[in-house]
Amino acid sequence: MGILKSLFGDANSKEIKKLEPSIFEINKFEEAFKKLSDSKVKEESANLKDEVQKELQDRKDEWEKLPDDEQPTMRRKIEDEVLGKHLPRAFALVREAAKRTIGQRHFDVQLMGGIILHEGKIAQMRTGEGKTLVSTLPVYLNALTGRGVHVVTVNDYLARRDTGWMGQIYSFLGLSVGTVIQEMSYIYDSSFEDESALDENLVHLKQVNKKDAYSADITYGTNNEFGFDYLRDNMVGDLSQMAQRDLHFAIVDEVDSILIDEARTPLIISAPAEKSADLYYKFADLVKKLRKDKDYDVDEKAKAATLTEDGIQNVEKMLGMGNIYEEGGVQLVHHLEQALKAEALFHLDKEYVVKDGEILIVDEFTGRLMHGRRYSEGLHQAIEAKEGVEIKRESRTMATITFQNYFRMYEKLSGMTGTASTEAEEFSRIYKLEVTEIPTNRDNLRKDMPDVVYKTEDAKFNAVAEEIKEITKTGQPVLVGTVSIEKNEKLSKLLRRNGVKRNVLNAKNHEQEAHIITQAGKLCGVTIATNMAGRGVDIILGGYPKVEEEQEKVKKLNGLYVIGTERHESRRIDNQLRGRSGRQGDPGTSRFFVSLEDDLMRIFGSDNIKGLMDRLGLPDDQAIENKMLSRALESAQKKVEGHNFDIRKHLLEYDDVINKHREAIYRRRKRVLKSQSLKDEMIEMLSLEIADLVHAHVSVDTGIISEEGLKEIKNGLRSIFPQGFILPELPENPEKLVDTIAHLVSEEYEKKEQSSGEKNMRLLEKAVYLRVIDTWWIEHLEAIDSLKEGIGLRGYGQRDPLVEFKREAYSLYERLIAGIEGDVSKTIFKVQLVRQEQPKNVTPVTEGKKYHEEAGSGHVSSKAGKKVGRNDPCPCGSGKKYKKCCGK
């Protein structure tokens, strides 16, 4: 690799070199813009926006003359040409606005990052290089089109903080900015002041309805909220209820976390489905009596628990059954499998915690509690039964999408992170995103110390506690990263015994946590958090607000000391933790303490390492530094990264099939919503349904319809025509019969329209069509889920499960379309609009809808919530308090 680099040069360096002329052009504007008054800068921005939109309008014909499916590609090409021409001027304006509003000037390397993002690539920038500020450059430039730009963050707090912080820049330049987070939406309004805001960046955020937040030039939000809003928009009954605009351009912050780590978790909106809790409790008790390695086997790599022959016999004996698969059926076997999975693979304080009688999932990547999320397919209920808490109802899927397919719908996508190069291949293959590494503004002075390896986990944690105790005597601040809440608590107890003061973060409050993390650089400070803590939050040496004297003291002590207590499955997560230290040329130190009992080494490590350790005869508490061990750690991480990539790729291959179905159904749904009249389509649908009915009873041999066949046709027609409709005598010739019935359909449709009124008929058509689409779509999703569950078994019959899945899914899709058209035909004549009067003296809204995400398969339940409090946000989405809106 080194020889190739010396012969052909480094591709990344060449990419950076190509950006230098653009940086020169941007810098040429700086002196001129410095001299302008605030009003002149704003005027310059308004003129630039007008120029961009006029040029795009003049070239509109170039994409509109193309077929629908080719228009987005051509439109993006033209937009990039127009915006590319104005990039230096736009970037220079943003830099000037940033200096005047938030007192920060973009460095040249930040301008480079901005260009890479505008080009629809991933900018890899080290932690502390100011990615939030970098994003303002391409965000402003692309927002000039007037089509809306989405900035995607990893949590609600960062979405709100960045709206208020960067909103100052956008507002100064005449652009509007909003934010959408769970159950709340805001716009930045410099004239509005929220006196209750604890963070200065949240003072000017004014609560609005979601549609207004999406109508802003720029919208911040979390990946979950953007994805769920897309699904919700495709469930509405009227166009006015849709919140999002077209998916134009998105910049994803911490792109590796959102597009890689969370890619295996589909977003699902579901409604409650009643099921008895008794079976869950029954099987939870039953599996506790089974013995590991005798009644069941656990495969930790595959995260699977399987009953043995002995186990099956024991279960049948306990249930008093002969053959559980025959007598119990699919449902009983499913309950058994989920109970075993809950017992053997899901552990308290690791995968989940129990809080206030509720099972809360712990995010495996961040260690945060995932409030509102639930495992799907009965697993969450099985865990509830295992822990003896109240079992919540199961859910029925109404809409679903993976992050992979959601973000690939944007016309242009880019992202930024400190760690993307290890997954560059995946970004390229799945998202067509290239990674460019941006140079640091200052040299990195952090010292990354070699790993210290211990034989046992206890010995490792004792060593970590001792190291922290010794370091704090010098005053050097320490940030400790762990992989779970359980390990947080374990280390905290050891430090308490040693008399070490510490802050322990257990992923309960993003905002409060962010504030504590900013103080992690204080003299003598010890902060223990899950190893992803502090993403997007600046750790200031000496603490916040900055005090020069305190900063210098910490710098002399070698800055922040980061300790990792375990190697993560992904090298990126380790690098993120290291990156908490040594920001912007600050000194720093990092070191990982690992043991052979850590999950990574135990499950994926080489089997002969433990044997080597035993042969050396070293005591448990003696640290080892050995090249072979370091190589084994890296090899294990690469092995897991490859394994996880295969899982995500596998998930996407299957989801791509359902994605085509989803796009077709959502297109049809949107067409129905936009349609002024569905009359012609309805009559054609009815005619085709009748033609199919007739032709199904035409004899293949004679080409005529028998008396019995005619009788069947009449029965079929009764399911279509309104109740009480009297069929006239029908001809036996198939073609004449089809024409006769088609004529009757037109006549009957005209009668119905006259009796209902034209306006009501248009509403009725839309209501019937949407209801039928939604009902069949829900059934289709369940059918696809069932197909996916069992398709792997086809491999035993030497058939490719994916090929089989595609073939059968296509059959299900044909059934879906036929079902929709058949049900619309059978419903339209039999229903009518009924106006419901609102009873007097009744409050119109007493409960709102809440959307609760579910993890694992990422379920989100959409269900009625509790009674709305007077000071709660109004469920109608107005952005006002309930007492000032529908609760007046």
Side-chain angles (χ1 to χ4, degrees), residues 415-432:
M416 47 193 184
T417 181
T419 46
S421 53
T422 54
E423 261 81 15
E425 183 196 355
E426 183 166 352
F427 280 122
S428 178
R429 285 172 63 180
I430 303 291
Y431 301 101
K432 295 185 173 60

Side-chain angles (χ1 to χ4, degrees), residues 55-281:
E55 286 177 43
L56 289 172
Q57 186 66 29
D58 291 344
R59 298 185 64 180
K60 204 174 178 182
D61 289 347
E62 292 180 47
W63 69 76
E64 287 193 339
K65 68 184 179 188
L66 297 173
D68 288 354
D69 59 331
E70 293 176 26
Q71 286 187 17
T73 306
M74 178 55 77
R75 186 170 187 168
R76 179 187 165 178
K77 182 173 176 284
I78 291 165
E79 273 188 6
D80 283 349
E81 282 175 20
V82 171
L83 294 175
K85 186 174 75 173
H86 294 290
L87 184 147
R89 184 172 154 210
F91 276 32
L93 273 171
V94 177
R95 179 193 258 175
E96 189 59 36
K99 284 191 291 184
R100 297 187 189 200
T101 53
I102 63 172
Q104 294 185 14
R105 176 186 176 274
H106 296 77
F107 303 122
D108 284 0
V109 289
Q110 290 177 313
L111 299 178
M112 288 178 180
I115 297 169
I116 292 298
L117 291 173
H118 166 67
E119 289 175 349
K121 298 175 184 173
I122 290 173
Q124 177 168 305
M125 304 181 73
R126 277 185 182 269
T127 304
E129 290 293 307
K131 293 188 288 291
T132 307
L133 187 63
V134 168
S135 66
T136 57
L137 300 159
V139 165
Y140 170 77
L141 175 63
N142 284 268
L144 294 174
T145 61
R147 296 183 61 210
V149 175
H150 292 171
V151 186
V152 188
T153 67
V154 289
N155 63 51
D156 288 351
Y157 167 70
L158 289 177
R160 288 171 66 217
R161 183 204 71 176
D162 292 355
T163 304
W165 186 17
M166 299 298 121
Q168 298 170 67
I169 300 171
Y170 303 127
S171 182
F172 185 84
L173 292 169
L175 296 185
S176 56
V177 56
T179 184
V180 288
I181 59 175
Q182 196 172 0
E183 297 180 359
M184 296 281 185
S185 305
Y186 302 90
I187 55 165
Y188 177 84
D189 183 347
S190 57
S191 64
F192 171 79
E193 290 197 11
D194 181 359
E195 293 172 8
S196 64
L198 299 174
D199 187 320
E200 61 183 13
N201 292 312
L202 310 179
V203 172
H204 299 299
L205 297 189
K206 182 180 178 182
Q207 206 172 331
V208 294
N209 65 47
K210 192 161 273 187
K211 193 163 187 172
D212 286 345
Y214 275 116
S215 297
D217 296 308
I218 300 141
T219 307
Y220 282 81
T222 62
N223 50 322
N224 285 345
E225 207 59 24
F226 283 128
F228 282 128
D229 284 338
Y230 168 75
L231 292 177
R232 290 171 193 140
D233 277 357
N234 284 287
M235 295 168 69
V236 299
D238 192 272
L239 274 178
S240 64
Q241 296 168 332
M242 293 183 81
Q244 283 186 349
R245 294 194 274 168
D246 289 342
L247 302 180
H248 170 225
F249 175 40
I251 294 180
V252 183
D253 193 7
E254 308 298 359
V255 67
D256 55 325
S257 175
I258 290 170
L259 297 190
I260 302 285
D261 295 336
E262 296 199 40
R264 283 156 60 183
T265 306
L267 295 172
I268 298 176
I269 292 181
S270 57
E274 293 291 348
K275 267 195 183 175
S276 169
D278 295 345
L279 279 173
Y280 288 111
Y281 289 121

Side-chain angles (χ1 to χ4, degrees), residues 280 329-339 377-378 394 789:
Y280 288 111
V330 176
Q331 189 186 2
L332 216 59
V333 173
H334 178 71
H335 275 285
L336 173 60
E337 287 171 350
Q338 296 299 67
E377 295 160 8
E394 285 189 55
E789 271 179 37

Side-chain angles (χ1 to χ4, degrees), residues 30 140 174 210 286 321 340 355 369 430 502 505 648 650 652 716 791 804:
E30 189 166 19
Y140 170 77
K210 192 161 273 187
L286 186 149
M321 283 184 177
L340 184 60
K355 188 180 176 190
L369 298 182
I430 303 291
R502 68 244 163 258
L505 306 182
R648 289 189 291 268
H650 182 72
L652 186 62
I791 206 75
E804 291 290 302

Side-chain angles (χ1 to χ4, degrees), residues 819-838:
I820 288 171
E821 293 176 354
D823 268 13
V824 168
S825 302
K826 289 167 187 168
T827 308
I828 192 66
F829 280 138
K830 293 186 169 63
V831 294
Q832 59 184 24
L833 285 178
V834 178
R835 185 176 297 279
Q836 286 188 321
E837 291 295 327
Q838 178 73 40

Side-chain angles (χ1 to χ4, degrees), residues 360-375:
L360 297 177
I361 297 167
V362 177
D363 190 309
E364 64 175 309
F365 301 108
T366 65
R368 294 184 184 280
L369 298 182
M370 301 166 85
H371 291 275
R373 286 202 176 189
R374 291 177 65 78
Y375 294 113

